[in-house]
Amino acid sequence: MELKVSHCFIAVHDHDEALAFYRDVLGLEVRNDVRYEGMRWVTVGPKAQPDVNIVLEPPAASPNASPQDKKLMSLLLADGMLRAVIFATDDCDATFEHVCRAGAEVLQEPMDQGYGVRDSAFRDPSGNMVRFSEKR
């Protein structure tokens, strides 16, 4: 049995702001933009990985989430307590400069880690931590 990553989910407050970051700054392609029963979710992904999809969805989008769960998720998202995704890059410093020029909030400048990568971190427009990692 072989498993592959197909979809992962990132909670966002505003899809248009998220697209300005994930599509316009990071260069991900938009694969789907769905509005259904008052909700919206947008699927994006790296052009080089057509089978990997990142779904930008509202906080606590599950129909089973209670009002308290939705409120808690919104608070955690606003506080930047939710992690989003780590992108692999072949040049962490160039990626950092590119994302920095776009005005994203820097959480960590590029640095070598003891576990064999050079990485940096930003917040997306909703407050999620997004990292960029280069193998060393």
Side-chain angles (χ1 to χ4, degrees), residues 11-66:
V12 298
H13 288 304
D14 183 298
H15 287 92
D16 293 322
E17 284 183 359
L19 282 172
F21 180 74
Y22 289 98
R23 178 193 58 208
D24 301 340
V25 175
L26 301 187
L28 301 182
E29 61 184 15
V30 177
R31 297 181 179 158
N32 215 343
D33 189 341
V34 177
R35 293 172 197 266
Y36 181 74
E37 294 187 358
M39 283 189 39
R40 179 183 182 196
W41 62 91
V42 179
T43 304
V44 297
K47 292 174 185 166
Q49 292 181 296
D51 295 335
V52 175
N53 297 288
I54 300 169
V55 182
L56 307 173
E57 65 174 6
S62 168
N64 299 321
S66 69

Side-chain angles (χ1 to χ4, degrees), residues 9 19 27 41-42 56 69 76 81 87 91-92 96 104 114 116 124 127:
F9 296 83
L19 282 172
W41 62 91
V42 179
L56 307 173
D69 291 340
L76 290 171
M81 299 302 292
F87 290 98
D91 189 334
C92 182
F96 176 82
D124 75 5

Side-chain angles (χ1 to χ4, degrees), residues 2 38 68 74 79 111 119:
E2 180 179 350
Q68 295 88 354
S74 292
D79 286 345
M111 62 184 300
D119 67 358

